[in-house]
Amino acid sequence: MSLTPLNMHGTRFGRAVEHPSLADATYVARRNLIASRACGHQVGEPSPAVSYSEEEHATWRTVHAALRSVQDDWGCPQVLAAREAVPVPPDRVPQHEEISDRLDALSGFRFTLAGGIVPNKRFLGAMADGYFHAVQYVRHPAMPLYTPEPDVLHDVFGHGIHLADPVFADLYRTVGQAAARVDSDDALDLISRVYWFTLEYGVTRTSHGPRAYGAALLSSYGELSRFARAELRSFDIDDLVRLPYQVDGYQPVLFTVDSMAHLADILHTFLDDFDEATRDRRNLPRLADRGFMNRPPIPR
Ligand SMILES: [Fe+2]
């Protein structure tokens, strides 16, 4: 798999064009070897075990130590509670199956293998059946606290923690069930944007100030430690679907809910009866009407 499409993910974690992974042929070959095992993989099949190198384990240890600390400071209480239920070893990269077995017992979710970009219909729709597409490769060792694409650390420290909590798992299923009911790019894009600004980049108010609950924030040392400097707006679907995506660097605008119960109410209200006519009923713009916008990086 070429690394070229990774530039599409540059918005998520910083300046992809400057990242050493793009010019390191040895890294690219290793990353692509691991990713290639997702070719032909069917949703629900067990992920093959990966024999991680000592260098990859060392990267995990570095990120684990840094993220735990910054999550303690900036993660919302529900996330910190869920984190305790997940077997996230401090010293080695865990295998998908050991994470999945634990999540399955807690919420009925399992990881299913992805090698990179997954189409919205498959990625979002699989959540309806309790499967979350996750990758196995590890970010470049030269920049352990920053990656231009989601890696196994993002999936475990972000989505894995979420899916240990039945309340979060219900929200993933809600997203998936909405996606399973529609097929058009417009409808899937709308769901993807709501997913993006909640389960990837969501912020909640707490008695101690804003705290992050989105997986992309939770798994990014740099962004988690400074997300409160972004423009924090009250959650508004009509607002967020019109917002251009940040194409270089951290997200400049984040949407804030009052609580996890508020988030659940928002998502269920919008998604429980979501269908192909939702966009028209709510007078939301179509993709073709938003030509000035960048398409969001597809959340694999
Ligand atoms: Fe993600």
Side-chain angles (χ1 to χ4, degrees):
M1 181 180 296
S2 166
L3 272 181
T4 302
L6 302 189
N7 289 327
M8 296 174 64
H9 293 286
T11 61
R12 306 188 65 185
F13 296 89
R15 295 182 62 83
V17 294
E18 297 175 355
H19 200 268
S21 63
L22 299 178
D24 182 340
T26 301
Y27 175 80
V28 170
R30 172 63 172 166
R31 181 263 183 216
N32 288 354
L33 175 66
I34 293 173
S36 69
R37 301 170 81 181
C39 292
H41 189 269
Q42 300 298 308
V43 173
E45 290 179 348
S47 297
V50 176
S51 182
Y52 289 108
S53 67
E54 178 48 38
E55 186 176 54
E56 288 166 333
H57 288 309
T59 298
W60 176 276
R61 286 193 289 273
T62 299
V63 179
H64 184 282
L67 267 183
R68 289 281 299 195
S69 173
V70 76
Q71 283 185 347
D72 287 342
D73 292 338
W74 292 106
C76 80
Q78 289 84 349
V79 163
L80 297 182
R83 189 180 68 176
E84 300 309 309
V86 191
V88 184
D91 57 339
R92 62 180 176 82
V93 187
Q95 299 292 334
H96 270 195
E97 289 306 294
E98 64 182 293
I99 296 291
S100 288
D101 288 346
R102 181 62 177 154
L103 297 182
D104 202 348
L106 292 167
S107 71
F109 257 87
R110 301 189 71 85
F111 281 172
T112 193
L113 189 59
I117 293 173
V118 176
N120 268 341
K121 179 69 177 179
R122 173 169 171 162
F123 174 76
L124 298 169
M127 296 179 196
D129 300 318
Y131 292 106
F132 187 84
H133 282 81
V135 298
Q136 295 179 304
Y137 45 80
V138 179
R139 64 194 57 182
H140 195 281
M143 296 185 72
L145 300 183
Y146 158 63
T147 175
E149 67 167 337
D151 66 347
V152 64
L153 286 136
H154 164 72
D155 284 330
V156 172
F157 278 97
H159 302 293
I161 289 174
H162 278 177
L163 295 171
D165 182 336
V167 173
F168 272 109
D170 170 69
L171 300 181
Y172 279 73
R173 287 184 188 276
T174 299
V175 168
Q177 288 160 358
R181 288 194 296 272
V182 299
D183 289 302
S184 72
D185 287 344
D186 266 315
L188 290 165
D189 173 72
L190 188 50
I191 298 169
S192 177
R193 283 174 179 272
V194 172
Y195 165 84
W196 179 262
F197 282 111
T198 55
L199 295 172
E200 289 286 0
Y201 276 98
V203 174
T204 183
R205 297 182 180 89
T206 75
S207 58
H208 300 289
R211 292 292 184 269
Y213 71 84
L217 295 176
L218 293 172
S219 61
S220 171
Y221 175 86
E223 197 155 14
L224 184 54
S225 62
R226 71 189 72 183
F227 78 89
R229 302 178 198 172
E231 179 184 346
L232 301 180
R233 299 184 187 174
S234 293
F235 191 89
D236 183 334
I237 286 177
D238 295 270
D239 187 10
L240 75 83
V241 300
R242 291 174 169 82
L243 190 70
Y245 278 77
Q246 171 71 7
V247 295
D248 199 1
Y250 297 142
Q251 294 287 322
V253 177
L254 299 172
F255 290 91
T256 304
V257 296
D258 295 335
S259 63
M260 291 299 97
H262 182 213
L263 172 67
D265 183 55
I266 287 170
L267 291 183
H268 277 292
T269 298
F270 185 67
L271 296 173
D272 281 354
D273 64 350
F274 189 92
D275 60 22
E276 293 284 359
T278 296
R279 189 183 292 273
D280 287 340
R281 279 200 305 271
R282 294 189 56 133
N283 195 31
L284 299 172
R286 293 185 173 278
L287 283 172
D289 300 329
R290 294 185 283 110
F292 64 93
M293 291 183 176
N294 298 288
R295 291 293 304 276
I298 299 170
R300 348 133 270 101

